[in-house]
């Protein structure tokens, strides 16, 4: 069997959209039970409770997870509040411990998906397991690695597979902690429409403000659910404090989502995806323009220090010539390109003028 032949019926065991929520990390029994209780009491339709037991940290000496003791707390969450449970596994030892503790849903984290040795080790430890396993996109924007990880799992007989879109790391700081890069996730989705996909707005946003919009966007493009970090006391969380929300805020977020109906499929579905791609590209255009202005500003400072005129006609000629040539190569009109670059250039001059005025 290959990935395209997999069927996604397993997801029907869960209410749709499939919502997974809970703290980034398990910290203490009381934190876990209070978070679980409040999610239940909020009435949010969340069938699966998540918590990281082992935490991959960028730098040493951070909180690296409570370890196996946290698995007992997940068990209690299941017994007392009737949740299914989910955690991240990053090596064979994690897999055996999580299976032993009867965790219901497992996921491979973004830092593990990048490493074929790690994924292979996890896949082999999971051999033949009949539980849902989600694969988060790798931290770097590489579609093949993401698909490869799912293939390794399928190769070991794991058939309840899903994908999680958690965004991609970039060097450039933007409003996102991890850039959504919708193009990659939608390419994945169009190649494997049969594999359930969840959105992880928490790790895309890295803050609380953008969560609802990103979750909605995930549903608009046809994802089957979301995994959202929720903590009983977010500001005090031991990891990812700035992006976690209380159970009550979570319930509110979920109740405000517009859930797709099947009649919306087809035209609206395709429109939704195109719109998402356009917004994503516009966002990147704006980010690039802002970076360009920052470089311009640096040039402005150098000109000021060296008493050079802001407007450099030869330089402007080179830029317009380049833009005209590129217009030809990409099939856009020269007129459009000239107008666009004229506007960018004018703003650039303005930025540099402001530096001169600061004198
Ligand atoms: C997490 O879900 O807490 C986590 C570590 O996610 P990611 O692998 O996406 O960084
Ligand atoms: Mn986290």
């Amino acid at each position: 069997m290959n990935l395209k032949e997999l069927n996604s019926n397993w997801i029907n065991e869960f209410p749709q959209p499939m919502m997974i929520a809970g703290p980034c990390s398990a910290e203490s029994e009381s934190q876990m039970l209070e978070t679980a209780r409040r999610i239940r009491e909020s009435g949010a339709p969340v069938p699966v409770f998540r918590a990281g037991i082992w935490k991959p940290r960028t730098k040493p000496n951070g909180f690296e997870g409570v370890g196996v003791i946290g698995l007992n707390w997940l068990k209690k969450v299941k017994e007392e509040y009737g949740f299914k449970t989910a955690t991240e596994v990053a090596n064979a030892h994690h897999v055996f411990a999580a299976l032993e503790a009867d965790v219901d849903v497992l996921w491979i984290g973004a830092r593990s998906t990048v490493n074929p040795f790690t994924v292979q080790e996890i896949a082999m430890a999971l051999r033949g397991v009949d539980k849902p396993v989600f694969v988060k996109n790798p931290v770097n924007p590489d579609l093949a690695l993401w698909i490869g990880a799912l293939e390794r799992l399928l190769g070991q007989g794991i058939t309840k597979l899903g994908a999680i879109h958690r965004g991609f790391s970039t060097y450039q700081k933007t409003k996102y902690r991890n850039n959504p890069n919708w193009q990659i996730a939608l390419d994945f989705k169009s190649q494997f429409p049969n594999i359930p996909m969840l959105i992880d707005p928490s790790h895309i946003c890295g803050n609380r403000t953008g969560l609802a919009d990103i979750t909605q966007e995930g549903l608009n493009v046809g994802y089957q659910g979301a995994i959202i970090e929720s903590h009983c006391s977010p500001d005090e969380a031991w990891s990812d404090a700035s992006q976690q929300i209380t159970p009550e805020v979570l319930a509110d977020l979920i109740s405000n989502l517009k859930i797709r109906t099947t009649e919306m499929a087809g035209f609206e579905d395709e429109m939704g995806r195109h719109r998402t791609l356009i917004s994503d590209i516009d966002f990147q255009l704006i980010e690039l323009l802002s970076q360009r202005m920052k470089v311009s500003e640096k040039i402005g400072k150098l000109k000021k220090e060296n008493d050079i005129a802001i407007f450099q006609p030869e330089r402007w000629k080179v830029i317009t010539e380049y833009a005209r040539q590129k217009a030809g190569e990409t099939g856009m009109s020269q007129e459009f390109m000239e107008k666009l670059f004229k506007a960018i250039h004018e703003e650039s001059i303005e930025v540099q003028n402001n530096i001169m005025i600061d004198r």
Side-chain angles (χ1 to χ4, degrees), residues 15-22 39 42-48 83 201 211-213 215-216 219 225-230 245-259:
Q16 308 291 304
M18 179 180 180
M19 291 291 175
I20 304 179
I39 294 178
S42 75
V46 174
V48 185
F83 285 101
L211 296 175
D213 285 350
T215 310
Q216 184 65 57
L219 297 186
I227 175 166
I228 305 177
E229 288 186 341
S230 175
I245 50 178
T246 62
E248 297 71 30
V249 171
L250 171 78
D252 206 43
L253 186 160
I254 296 176
S255 72
N256 284 318
L257 292 172
K258 286 186 207 66
I259 311 292

Side-chain angles (χ1 to χ4, degrees), residues 23-25 50 52 55-56 88 107-111 136-137 139 166 177-178 200 203 227 229 240 243:
C24 177
S25 303
R50 66 151 279 159
K55 299 305 297 179
E88 170 179 350
W107 80 82
I108 295 184
R111 290 164 194 76
K136 288 201 176 195
N137 67 255
V139 281
R166 54 79 79 196
R177 177 178 175 196
N178 291 289
D200 174 347
H203 293 91
I227 175 166
E229 288 186 341
D240 290 352
Q243 70 199 29

Side-chain angles (χ1 to χ4, degrees), residues 115 128 146 151 166 179 201 239 250 280 286 288 300 311 334 340:
N115 185 340
W146 199 1
E151 284 171 349
R166 54 79 79 196
N179 205 6
S239 61
L250 171 78
D280 200 9
I286 293 166
L288 279 175
F311 183 58
Q334 295 204 348
L340 179 66

Side-chain angles (χ1 to χ4, degrees), residues 123-196:
M124 287 165 77
L126 281 168
R127 189 174 180 84
V129 163
D130 190 36
K131 297 184 185 228
V133 180
F134 284 94
V135 179
K136 288 201 176 195
N137 67 255
V139 281
N140 56 324
D142 185 334
L143 180 56
L145 266 178
W146 199 1
I147 297 169
L150 287 148
E151 284 171 349
R152 286 178 196 277
L153 289 165
L154 184 60
Q156 299 301 316
I158 298 137
T159 55
K160 294 182 172 172
L161 291 173
I164 296 175
H165 177 197
R166 54 79 79 196
F168 300 84
S169 180
T170 54
Y171 187 61
Q172 240 69 44
K173 286 289 152 253
T174 72
K175 71 168 172 169
Y176 298 112
R177 177 178 175 196
N178 291 289
N179 205 6
N181 249 328
W182 288 96
Q183 182 74 61
I184 298 178
L186 293 179
D187 282 349
F188 180 100
K189 202 168 159 37
S190 75
Q191 278 190 53
F192 304 102
N194 53 325
I195 297 182

Side-chain angles (χ1 to χ4, degrees), residues 272-339:
R273 283 198 260 274
H274 292 323
R275 289 216 167 106
T276 290
L277 282 181
I278 289 273
S279 311
D280 200 9
I281 293 168
D282 285 349
F283 170 73
Q284 292 181 53
L285 274 175
I286 293 166
E287 287 290 329
L288 279 175
L289 280 173
S290 128
Q291 284 168 33
R292 194 188 189 284
M293 291 306 161
K294 285 189 188 119
V295 178
S296 230
E297 220 176 293
K298 289 198 177 127
I299 294 181
K301 284 199 183 107
L302 276 176
K303 286 178 181 164
K304 178 177 163 185
E305 282 158 19
N306 293 284
D307 257 329
I308 296 175
I310 291 179
F311 183 58
Q312 302 280 316
E314 327 76 69
R315 179 71 192 139
W316 175 232
K317 243 168 80 187
V318 172
I319 292 174
T320 37
E321 200 38 59
Y322 180 73
R324 249 187 244 126
Q325 181 198 330
K326 281 285 154 201
E329 284 171 20
T330 54
M332 289 183 283
S333 84
Q334 295 204 348
E335 192 195 348
F336 164 66
M337 223 33 155
E338 270 169 37
K339 269 198 244 159

